[in-house]
Amino acid sequence: MDVSKMPRYVGPVNPSMYPSLTIGLCGLGALFMAWFFVYEVTSNKYTRSLAKEVVVATLAAAFLGLGSVFLLLWVGIYV
Amino acid sequence: MCKNIPRYRMKVLIFTLGLLAALALSQDVKITDAERTVDISSQLAKVNVALTVQNNGKSALSDVLFYITTDEAAHLAHIAATIKKKDVKVQPQSAVQGFAVYKVVLPKKIEAGASETINVEYVLVQSLVPFPEQITQEETQHVVYTGNAHISSAYPVEKEKTTVIFGSGKLQSFATVAPSKQLGEKVVYGPYSNTAAKAISEIRVHYENVSPFIVATTVERLIEISHWGNIAVEEKIQIVHKGAKLTGSFSRLDYQIDRRGKKQPCVKEFKTILPAAARDIYYRDVIGNISSSSLKVRAESVEVDVKPRFPLFGGWKTNYIMGYNLPSYEYLFADGDKFVLKMRLLDHIYDGMVVEKLTTKIVLPEKASNVKLSTPYTVNRRPDEKLATYLDTEGRKVIVIEKNSLVDAHIQPFTLEYQWSRLYIWREPLMATGFFLCLFLAVIVYVRFDFEITKDSASEALLGVQAKVEEVEKIVNERIAIHKRLIEAVSTFKGDKEEETLKNTRAKIETERAELKKKMSGIVGQMKTLLPAASEKLNEMEQLESGIVNSESAYIEKTSKSTTKNSSEDRQWTVRVNGDTNKMKDIINSI
């Protein structure tokens, strides 16, 4: 196997994008998280709807999860 | 059985004959000219031997034996051979009395009667012995080189000459093996003629050597691959000054005013050359960052001027950690799910370096499989280890390689092949997402617990009413939206006179209203038991709404005949609707 003929491996995301991705995704995630928690504390057992809670929680988790991975990459913890 | 014994003896006989033939053959090989230079101006002894081998035998010669005395072999770090500047293979053989044996495999056989020049290079480490063994801060270091005046040869040598280059220091003494003489910075032994094979006459050269005698006793090189596009390298290095040991006290003042410069018997700094793509470079030890170093970025490399926390005198040692990041495209190659890492097994630490023990660890990404390692020279591969770091579940596979006694010539690349599915890149974001989702689900479950000790029916009822009022508010908002839609539909009708569209819109609104009304009547019914007063107010609201709906048809009849948009009827109607809806909102707020 000739290594020199193989294509070079580049990561899936350009490192210069890490800061903006981190801030963007974590920001959106924080927004959804805030919405989720505000909803949890303002609604009572007659008004709260499970579907809404789960949808907002999933959105918040997805954005925060992806955002925190990019935060790790940005600060130099190459996971 | 009886037949087998003679056959076995026959084999022995053939083997013995073959051995004798080989020995006889070696008698026919002669070295017509041999020139050797021994460079001992640094802490290494770099030996270069140029042999002209002549084949006087009857058959072609496929390999040449090369001898190194056992004293030298104990310090041997590297051996290589070239013919006409092209590398040829050197294989170690079993030793003979007093000598280690290496076989130089010739790419082209030396035909009978022909000759060939072979260049053999080897490096000895820690073979120069400081003498005196201990010196004070003011003295300079002297060392003794012990060697052989003759070239250790498997074959008789017709003519030979050895040059020992000891550098710019002062020569104290040297053993004479006539003819031998000093020529500037060299001592020349020979030329000698017609030396027998395996000849030894010991020589000693005692001279001043001020070059740094620092040895990296342990180097732990950690290479961590991240498929996000990074290769992290970290080297844990211990450096010991193995020259003449410092005796007496160390005076900082004497050290500061010492004007000898490089002749001082200590190492103040050295230069480490890193790959050009290196970034985020750090140089630290257990205390923290060592700020005395400096960095120079050159076109083809990055140079770090490593200045330890203190000067290294003989016998002193220092530990430090040097690390940096490299982009993956420099060293990692990929073809589908197959990846190949091509990197240096050992990298530069300082010029003329000596590494006693190297441990290279390669941390593969999680789930990497089918690992195949190929190294430029023989190494000791240790059992694989596991390393669990950030966002790992089962730990990453670590390939461990060990090798003792290395020099500059060992800075060569290895290749490591492995399989890794590109879908695994999603593992880490999914893990982080899963963590947050679990947190939120826990909150969702937690808010559903009831921690009240006593049941407070009043506040319970209030919560129920609140929930109903919110629902009513929603219905009212929807109704307001419907009113607006109707007014708009009428206004459009005035322009295009499409009766069909207006009819359709009204029919749709009708069904929506019926649904809302049903919901509302349900709420009113529940409200009667919860809070009768509120239920009455809701009834009042319902009357307002039906009032609007009932007079709606009359309004449409009247206004649809005209074509002027925003006529006085329209305005009156809007005012009425707005007034009534505001009343409804007031009712909700009052509840």
Side-chain angles (χ1 to χ4, degrees):
Chain A
M1 181 68 214
D2 193 4
V3 178
S4 57
K5 280 189 189 130
M6 283 174 84
R8 291 171 179 275
Y9 179 77
V10 186
V13 179
N14 188 337
S16 64
M17 295 283 287
Y18 291 159
S20 38
L21 276 172
T22 305
I23 292 166
L25 291 169
C26 282
L28 267 175
L31 201 80
F32 281 112
M33 186 174 66
W35 182 7
F36 173 76
F37 281 117
V38 167
Y39 183 73
E40 289 298 329
V41 294
T42 52
S43 63
N44 62 47
K45 67 178 170 185
Y46 299 104
T47 56
R48 84 171 60 97
S49 121
L50 183 67
K52 190 179 172 183
E53 283 173 281
V54 170
V55 167
V56 177
T58 312
L59 278 171
F63 282 116
L64 279 179
L66 214 56
S68 50
V69 167
F70 284 114
L71 178 66
L72 288 175
L73 293 171
W74 182 17
V75 300
I77 300 170
Y78 289 94
V79 288
Chain B
M1 273 306 271
C2 286
K3 271 183 186 171
N4 281 347
I5 294 167
R7 198 177 285 170
Y8 169 70
R9 280 192 182 157
M10 194 74 152
K11 272 184 184 166
V12 173
L13 193 72
I14 290 168
F15 182 73
T16 321
L17 279 173
L19 208 71
L20 281 172
L23 275 172
L25 207 71
S26 70
Q27 294 299 315
D28 293 332
V29 178
K30 210 160 73 172
I31 290 168
T32 49
D33 189 30
E35 204 155 306
R36 178 172 63 151
T37 53
V38 183
D39 184 352
I40 49 170
S41 55
S42 68
Q43 64 165 330
L44 305 166
K46 289 180 236 169
V47 186
N48 191 325
V49 190
L51 301 166
T52 307
V53 183
Q54 192 174 22
N55 183 7
N56 291 334
K58 289 188 179 66
S59 54
L61 192 65
S62 62
D63 43 55
V64 173
L65 295 180
F66 186 78
Y67 281 11
I68 293 174
T69 58
T70 37
D71 291 347
E72 281 191 334
H75 298 284
L76 186 74
H78 173 72
I79 182 164
T82 53
I83 294 177
K84 295 190 181 83
K85 294 195 174 166
K86 274 191 185 146
D87 290 333
V88 290
K89 248 192 202 159
V90 182
Q91 293 166 342
Q93 306 286 304
S94 49
V96 296
Q97 181 66 41
F99 295 95
V101 183
Y102 287 87
K103 188 166 86 177
V104 179
V105 183
L106 302 170
K108 215 180 87 191
K109 287 182 181 177
I110 304 175
E111 296 300 330
S115 65
E116 182 71 272
T117 306
I118 304 170
N119 256 296
V120 182
E121 260 184 36
Y122 59 94
V123 180
L124 307 177
V125 295
Q126 300 185 39
S127 64
L128 306 176
V129 182
F131 186 79
E133 270 177 29
Q134 295 188 329
I135 54 169
T136 62
Q137 199 179 331
E138 288 79 35
E139 288 172 310
T140 49
Q141 175 175 271
H142 289 76
V143 296
V144 171
Y145 165 72
T146 317
N148 185 1
H150 299 292
I151 287 155
S152 333
S153 168
Y155 316 104
V157 182
E158 231 168 56
K159 209 180 98 196
E160 61 164 332
K161 196 175 101 174
T162 294
T163 314
V164 179
I165 304 166
F166 61 84
S168 53
K170 216 173 104 190
L171 182 67
Q172 293 288 347
S173 69
F174 67 97
T176 49
V177 179
S180 55
K181 59 180 181 294
Q182 183 192 354
L183 276 174
E185 297 182 353
K186 299 172 200 162
V187 179
V188 181
Y189 287 93
Y192 307 113
S193 40
N194 296 324
T195 324
K198 300 185 193 175
I200 292 185
S201 10
E202 202 185 72
I203 54 167
R204 276 166 60 89
V205 181
H206 187 204
Y207 65 106
E208 186 188 82
N209 189 336
V210 293
S211 66
F213 268 52
I214 48 174
V215 173
T217 48
T218 56
V219 175
E220 243 188 82
R221 184 168 154 89
L222 187 82
I223 300 165
E224 195 179 328
I225 304 168
S226 162
H227 277 263
W228 289 99
N230 188 71
I231 298 171
V233 181
E234 185 173 271
E235 284 171 344
K236 286 189 187 116
I237 298 171
Q238 182 179 61
I239 282 182
V240 182
H241 191 304
K242 289 212 171 178
K245 284 195 169 62
L246 180 75
T247 184
S249 60
F250 166 66
S251 159
R252 180 55 76 165
L253 180 70
D254 290 346
Y255 170 73
Q256 296 279 17
I257 60 171
D258 202 326
R259 298 218 173 260
R260 285 179 296 170
K262 285 197 168 167
K263 283 204 164 188
Q264 257 180 290
C266 67
V267 176
K268 293 173 187 173
E269 63 180 320
F270 51 88
K271 201 192 292 167
T272 300
I273 298 171
L274 305 179
R279 53 201 155 69
D280 315 328
I281 300 155
Y282 54 90
Y283 165 53
R284 60 180 172 85
D285 59 12
V286 277
I287 308 171
N289 179 47
I290 305 170
S291 56
S292 48
S293 60
S294 67
L295 197 72
K296 285 180 202 134
V297 180
R298 305 241 186 257
E300 286 184 359
S301 66
V302 174
E303 286 179 12
V304 189
D305 287 323
V306 177
K307 219 177 199 175
R309 289 187 190 275
F310 44 84
L312 288 173
F313 278 90
W316 294 13
K317 68 176 178 188
T318 183
N319 290 287
Y320 69 89
I321 298 165
M322 171 93 71
Y324 50 90
N325 284 324
L326 296 165
S328 67
Y329 55 78
E330 295 270 345
Y331 302 98
L332 193 61
F333 301 84
D335 189 6
D337 286 350
K338 194 170 128 188
F339 291 83
V340 178
L341 178 75
K342 192 179 181 195
M343 256 188 114
R344 284 170 172 183
L345 202 56
L346 166 74
D347 212 342
H348 182 272
I349 301 171
Y350 53 88
D351 287 332
M353 67 179 183
V354 177
V355 176
E356 270 183 10
K357 190 182 174 201
L358 169 76
T359 312
T360 300
K361 291 185 177 181
I362 305 148
V363 184
L364 295 174
E366 243 185 343
K367 298 258 177 213
S369 58
N370 287 341
V371 182
K372 275 179 222 140
L373 175 75
S374 69
T375 50
Y377 34 82
T378 52
V379 292
N380 179 13
R381 169 132 179 226
R382 307 286 307 151
D384 291 350
E385 290 173 5
K386 284 265 175 195
L387 177 78
T389 63
Y390 303 96
L391 294 178
D392 280 350
T393 51
E394 59 190 41
R396 301 174 193 205
K397 189 179 248 180
V398 184
I399 310 296
V400 186
I401 301 165
E402 278 184 3
K403 172 141 179 84
N404 292 335
S405 193
L406 300 100
V407 289
D408 284 339
H410 288 101
I411 302 176
Q412 286 177 42
F414 65 88
T415 55
L416 183 76
E417 199 186 302
Y418 61 92
Q419 294 275 334
W420 189 81
S421 167
R422 288 181 189 237
L423 285 175
Y424 288 145
I425 199 90
W426 287 103
R427 278 165 58 87
E428 281 136 354
L430 281 178
M431 241 181 273
T433 302
F435 165 76
F436 284 112
L437 199 58
C438 286
L439 189 80
F440 295 147
L441 290 178
V443 171
I444 289 175
V445 172
Y446 173 80
V447 294
R448 277 167 171 73
F449 286 135
D450 192 351
F451 294 110
E452 304 268 327
I453 297 169
T454 54
K455 204 170 159 86
D456 185 351
S457 51
S459 64
E460 193 88 343
L462 194 70
L463 284 180
V465 171
Q466 244 173 37
K468 293 295 163 218
V469 169
E470 263 173 46
E471 271 177 57
V472 170
E473 208 174 352
K474 228 184 199 170
I475 291 171
V476 168
N477 282 336
E478 269 175 61
R479 276 176 175 169
I480 293 168
I482 288 171
H483 291 317
K484 276 190 185 145
R485 251 162 67 203
L486 189 91
I487 292 166
E488 255 166 54
V490 170
S491 157
T492 337
F493 175 74
K494 279 181 184 174
D496 57 16
K497 296 286 176 192
E498 291 268 1
E499 290 210 22
E500 199 66 19
T501 325
L502 183 66
K503 222 172 145 189
N504 283 344
T505 317
R506 286 191 68 183
K508 227 168 118 194
I509 285 172
E510 212 60 47
T511 51
E512 281 175 36
R513 272 185 179 153
E515 231 169 81
L516 289 176
K517 194 167 182 147
K518 215 172 137 195
K519 263 197 210 167
M520 195 64 176
S521 61
I523 294 168
V524 173
Q526 287 164 332
M527 225 25 150
K528 261 180 196 154
T529 50
L530 286 168
L531 197 71
S535 119
E536 266 165 39
K537 281 186 180 174
L538 288 180
N539 273 334
E540 200 180 306
M541 210 168 76
E542 281 299 275
Q543 274 164 14
L544 274 173
E545 171 68 17
S546 50
I548 299 173
V549 174
N550 288 340
S551 46
E552 205 171 57
S553 303
Y555 150 71
I556 294 169
E557 288 281 307
K558 230 161 94 190
T559 192
S560 55
K561 278 169 195 147
S562 75
T563 48
T564 38
K565 284 190 181 179
N566 204 10
S567 63
S568 59
E569 288 109 5
D570 286 333
R571 264 180 271 141
Q572 272 169 20
W573 177 253
T574 315
V575 169
R576 184 184 162 189
V577 169
N578 283 347
D580 286 356
T581 48
N582 282 340
K583 271 183 210 162
M584 288 185 209
K585 281 182 185 168
D586 287 343
I587 293 169
I588 292 167
N589 289 339
S590 73
I591 301 172

